[in-house]
Amino acid sequence: MSTPPRDPHFPVAHLRPPRNWINDPNGLVFHDGHYHVCYQYNPHGANHANMHWGHFRSPDLLTWEPLPAALSPTPGGVDADGCFSGNAVSDGERLVAFYSAHREDRSFQHQPVTYATSHDGGLTFRPRGELVVPAWPESCTMYRDPYVWQDGDGWRMLVGAALADGRGAALLYDSPDLENWTYRGPFATRHPEPLGGTDLHTGEGWECPQYLPAADGRGALLFSTWTEPTGPQHVAALIGEEHDGHFKAGSAVPVDHGPDCYAPALLRAPGGRWLLWGWSWEARDEAWAVADGWAGLLTLPREVHVDDDGTLRQQPATELLALRGEHVIHTEGVTDGPVDLGSVGRAFDLTARLEPTGNAGLRLLTTPDGSEYLDVRLDVDAGELVVDRDHASLDSRARGGSYRMPCPVGRPVDVRVVVDHSIAEIFLTTTGQVLTLRFYPTGQSPWRLQARTAPGTRLGYAVDAWELHQLVIKEPSTSAAQPAPASP
């Protein structure tokens, strides 16, 4: 599968098709020895329209095989105007993909639930052709995005919603057979409330609810916050426990502290491990993305769990260590001013231990004169890690902004930063938190890494960086070709 030639912003280690629009990850499931990852996909352009489910599968998270589009709108059918978001389950020898059926003559904010079934490992799916949950509760002003999981001998489903009284909600259904569903009421609801001490809030509606059941302690309900008229906002989680069909939790917390991660989806992997992918949208003018012929990508797969202290912790999937190539930086020391640490390419994986006496951090310089840079620094006074992209692109069509996540002070701070051309995922290893953002450097390789300090501050550092190998994307066979993409 070839990528657009010489596009300096196209990723190599993040999953997406070679062209056109993608958004939400869908249908994440482990089945018959393969991880299946689907995604919202427009096969005909780099804008949000004509929603299909694109489809990859992999035995190891490193080598990916493009499969035919899993779902396509049926002319005149219940999903005539789009196969919107949902998930998939492995049921014996079959895969069952539940999704939001969109028809513009129904309601743009209401997409009832239907499904499609595969008996050949995901090569082909046969749509049910009718709605499996044809109506929504009268109190819903928004309704979409089923999430189905097995619970004992039966099945359960959450659907994202907005209620007429202003609450966001995840609605609960159950079924003995994946076919006949009974509505049990709201699983969780909230009026808009502040999100983890930020100026964000939990939204008027919840999209893409995902449930991470408790193993021994607390579980997590993840949802993407939606507010009229702006639409998608951020990603939140409730950490708590289920009691009699209701999820009891404390205050909502951010799932990702960055501006460019939305609609994350869970995959229950072998061995009790849970993986999460999110959609990282573009942070540049739409016309620029359309001209380049592609928009959106999926985040790295992340291992996710609720820790004993009740925090949601994330880290890159262990398999991704195999993508590390040449060890280009290995250095440690103490500095009280700017110091060059070495050069990196446009895709790299970095770990750092930072021990500052005041405000200090790392700077990725992407032009020779240092006028273009991305900052990752510690604000000791505020107790936060700050990622600043205000100077990360000399192209005025790219968005700026400075973003923060809580960071403990008074002890060493461990971070892992994965940069892949136009995306940076910053994992605060110390706490398990993560911040995702997009940036669009104009400078050519090699880029340089610096350690920097505020006046009067000393920084102890130990930094390692590796070049990042590409994912292996197999060429699709004639029988497994995706719809022919339009020329960019």
Side-chain angles (χ1 to χ4, degrees):
M1 179 180 284
S2 60
T3 58
R6 296 181 297 279
D7 186 330
H9 304 305
F10 196 91
V12 298
H14 287 73
L15 197 59
R16 62 151 292 121
R19 289 180 177 82
N20 302 320
W21 169 279
I22 76 165
N23 55 292
D24 305 4
N26 294 150
L28 305 187
V29 62
F30 187 83
H31 176 78
D32 196 24
H34 286 86
Y35 300 92
H36 290 259
V37 173
C38 299
Y39 50 90
Q40 291 282 278
Y41 176 53
N42 177 4
H44 305 303
N47 60 321
H48 183 273
N50 195 32
M51 287 293 98
H52 293 54
W53 277 27
H55 190 184
F56 286 100
R57 71 177 177 184
S58 170
D60 57 8
L61 303 181
L62 302 171
T63 298
W64 292 90
E65 176 187 5
L67 296 182
L71 304 177
S72 302
T74 302
V78 296
D79 57 7
D81 297 308
C83 301
F84 281 16
S85 289
N87 82 319
V89 294
S90 177
D91 178 34
E93 295 183 355
R94 65 175 185 158
L95 281 172
V96 186
F98 287 83
Y99 63 101
S100 305
H102 178 51
R103 282 186 66 110
E104 292 182 358
D105 61 5
R106 184 187 294 123
S107 164
F108 189 80
Q109 297 300 350
H110 297 84
Q111 289 103 37
V113 179
T114 188
Y115 68 69
T117 305
S118 174
H119 291 275
D120 56 11
L123 291 176
T124 60
F125 282 83
R126 181 175 180 175
R128 184 177 190 269
E130 297 178 352
L131 299 174
V132 68
V133 182
W136 49 85
E138 291 184 2
S139 60
C140 291
T141 58
M142 183 190 85
Y143 181 91
R144 53 176 165 264
D145 307 337
Y147 176 77
V148 177
W149 75 100
Q150 189 165 16
D151 183 45
D153 294 331
W155 302 86
R156 308 175 83 193
M157 173 168 59
L158 297 178
V159 180
L163 304 183
D165 62 6
R167 289 179 295 164
L171 308 181
L172 179 64
Y173 296 76
D174 61 30
S175 170
D177 55 9
L178 294 176
E179 181 67 29
N180 300 286
W181 292 90
T182 301
Y183 177 51
R184 298 301 185 187
F187 186 64
T189 67
R190 292 288 170 99
H191 285 285
E193 65 179 42
L195 186 55
T198 70
D199 58 357
L200 310 174
H201 62 81
T202 54
E204 299 167 1
W206 296 355
E207 295 190 302
C208 303
Q210 306 282 305
Y211 186 42
L212 181 64
D216 299 314
R218 283 167 282 192
L221 175 66
L222 282 60
F223 57 91
S224 296
T225 68
W226 182 95
T227 299
E228 184 71 31
T230 50
Q233 299 292 304
H234 297 276
V235 188
L238 297 172
I239 310 298
E241 299 177 351
E242 180 184 349
H243 297 280
D244 299 324
H246 299 280
F247 192 69
K248 305 297 184 181
S251 299
V253 296
V255 171
D256 191 298
H257 294 265
D260 300 323
C261 180
Y262 195 73
L266 292 170
L267 184 151
R268 189 171 195 160
R273 184 174 62 153
W274 287 86
L275 299 176
L276 176 149
W277 280 260
W279 164 38
S280 190
W281 50 40
E282 297 299 314
R284 54 178 173 167
D285 284 358
E286 181 180 1
W288 181 2
V290 169
D292 282 354
W294 66 278
L297 52 85
L298 300 186
T299 67
L300 297 174
R302 304 170 182 176
E303 297 175 6
V304 57
H305 72 277
V306 177
D307 206 17
D308 292 339
D309 62 3
T311 61
L312 189 72
R313 298 181 68 94
Q314 301 175 65
Q315 66 178 20
T318 304
E319 289 90 336
L320 301 185
L321 293 172
L323 293 179
R324 288 178 174 176
E326 182 182 356
H327 195 173
V328 291
I329 295 177
H330 175 64
T331 184
E332 56 184 281
V334 179
T335 185
D336 57 4
V339 58
D340 284 334
L341 305 180
S343 296
V344 291
R346 302 185 79 96
F348 62 89
D349 185 351
L350 175 149
T351 62
R353 168 161 286 197
L354 305 175
E355 299 184 61
T357 61
N359 296 347
L362 302 175
R363 174 171 291 183
L364 176 65
L365 300 110
T366 53
T367 54
D369 65 358
S371 60
E372 184 180 82
Y373 56 87
L374 179 73
D375 270 342
V376 178
R377 65 177 184 269
L378 301 173
D379 185 336
V380 174
D381 298 331
E384 294 174 321
L385 184 145
V386 183
V387 185
D388 186 343
R389 68 177 180 193
D390 275 336
H391 302 277
S393 180
L394 296 178
D395 193 315
S396 61
R397 298 173 295 171
R399 294 178 198 148
S402 180
Y403 304 92
R404 297 169 174 261
M405 58 181 160
C407 180
V409 297
R411 59 187 175 104
V413 174
D414 292 312
V415 296
R416 182 172 174 187
V417 179
V418 181
V419 170
D420 187 3
H421 290 248
S422 64
I423 182 172
E425 294 181 67
I426 296 91
F427 295 86
L428 183 53
T429 311
T430 307
T431 64
Q433 305 303 294
V434 61
L435 189 158
T436 301
L437 54 70
R438 303 292 302 279
F439 71 119
Y440 304 89
T442 65
Q444 300 301 309
S445 298
W447 296 342
R448 293 179 293 131
L449 194 69
Q450 283 185 346
R452 301 178 66 88
T453 65
T457 295
R458 293 173 64 82
L459 173 66
Y461 60 87
V463 178
D464 288 273
W466 297 263
E467 294 295 333
L468 200 57
H469 287 315
Q470 299 184 30
L471 295 172
V472 176
I473 308 295
K474 294 182 178 179
E475 289 289 338
S477 66
T478 302
S479 61
Q482 298 205 31
S487 299

